Amino acid sequence: MDRKLSSNDKFNLQQNFRRYLKFQDQYEEANEAAKTARASRVWIAALIALLFALASDFFMGASAALFGLYFYRVMSASMKVGSTQEGREDTERWFASKGLRFEGRVLYFRDDQMLDTPLDPFDDALYQ
């Protein structure tokens, strides 16, 4: 069965497809930044400075600053991941309302269980 999409939705479909790909790229970048922030070993330096903090207020301040830096980077990266994920999910809901779904970066009809006919929203033959 050859299914067609409404030509009235062509512009919105193409724009939302671009928007989804942009959110997908931003999500991948933000996720990598979050992994890098969590993998940072700044907290080890803060812990070592905390050991020296018993003798000096300077090391107490340095330790607090390093812990603050570590947690700031982790929280800001997590917030960026959350915002890009929210935008991506909003776009996925829009496509679901049109009977479409994404598998990775490829668009399919929702009832295409075998994923054998990917859709190209820029192909004019897809619209009626």
Side-chain angles (χ1 to χ4, degrees), residues 24-95:
Q24 182 70 15
D25 291 340
Q26 288 176 349
Y27 175 76
E28 291 169 0
E29 290 172 7
N31 202 20
E32 286 301 314
K35 287 178 185 177
T36 303
R38 285 190 300 270
S40 173
R41 300 296 182 231
V42 172
W43 65 271
I44 294 173
L47 192 59
I48 292 170
L50 190 60
L51 291 175
F52 291 107
L54 300 174
S56 171
D57 289 338
F58 170 76
F59 286 110
M60 181 64 84
S63 175
L66 289 172
F67 275 123
L69 173 68
Y70 175 74
F71 288 115
Y72 171 76
R73 287 179 60 202
V74 169
M75 290 305 296
S76 64
S78 297
M79 290 173 54
K80 179 114 173 119
V81 167
S83 67
T84 57
Q85 186 174 11
E86 183 179 331
R88 189 179 68 165
E89 289 172 355
D90 286 343
T91 310
E92 283 177 344
R93 279 193 292 274
W94 185 88
F95 279 104

